[in-house]
Structures are given as structure tokens and as C-alpha cells.
Amino acid sequence: DPDTERQRHYAEYGEIETADTKHDGCVYAGRCTYAQSRCHTETPQLQQVDKSVQVACFFPLEAITSV
């Protein structure tokens, strides 16, 4: 199952937010390779990066170009 595999992959690379670990900022900040200090304190707004792609990230181009 691709979704289960993706979840396992994300779990290997940092903290998964739960009700006990809830913090300000981006929900992926604890496990994102591109996270910077503002990611831990500010919540990014949803933005259009392509015709059919929207992201809530302060650094979407870094993530897209590294794939």
C-alpha cells in the first residue's frame, strides 16, 4: 500500500505531531529536511505553486526541485 509506505517513510525522519507534542508553526517542521526557525513558530499559508498543486510551505521550491 503506497500510503502506508509513505507514512512509514515519514515516521523514520523525525517527530510525528500528536496532541501531546502539538506546537506552533508548521505541522511538518519536526521532520522536514528544509525546516528553518520560522517553520517552528509560524504556520505557512496555502499557496498555488503550479496549475494543480497547492502547498502550505515557506520553502516550496526547495522541496520541489530536489525531488
Side-chain angles (χ1 to χ4, degrees):
D1 177 30
D3 288 334
T4 303
E5 181 64 27
R6 185 178 304 118
Q7 288 173 354
R8 185 166 14 102
H9 173 75
Y10 285 138
E12 293 173 0
Y13 293 99
E15 176 184 334
I16 295 177
E17 188 173 283
T18 65
D20 295 339
T21 60
K22 181 86 174 110
H23 57 78
D24 294 330
C26 179
V27 297
Y28 298 105
R31 55 189 156 137
C32 177
T33 309
Y34 306 100
Q36 296 183 17
S37 60
R38 77 183 287 195
C39 301
H40 295 276
T41 59
E42 301 174 41
T43 303
Q45 298 297 310
L46 193 62
Q47 58 183 314
Q48 193 87 29
V49 294
D50 196 21
K51 290 179 188 175
S52 61
V53 178
Q54 293 181 334
V55 297
C57 180
F58 294 116
F59 311 102
L61 296 179
E62 287 85 345
I64 291 170
T65 58
S66 69
V67 173

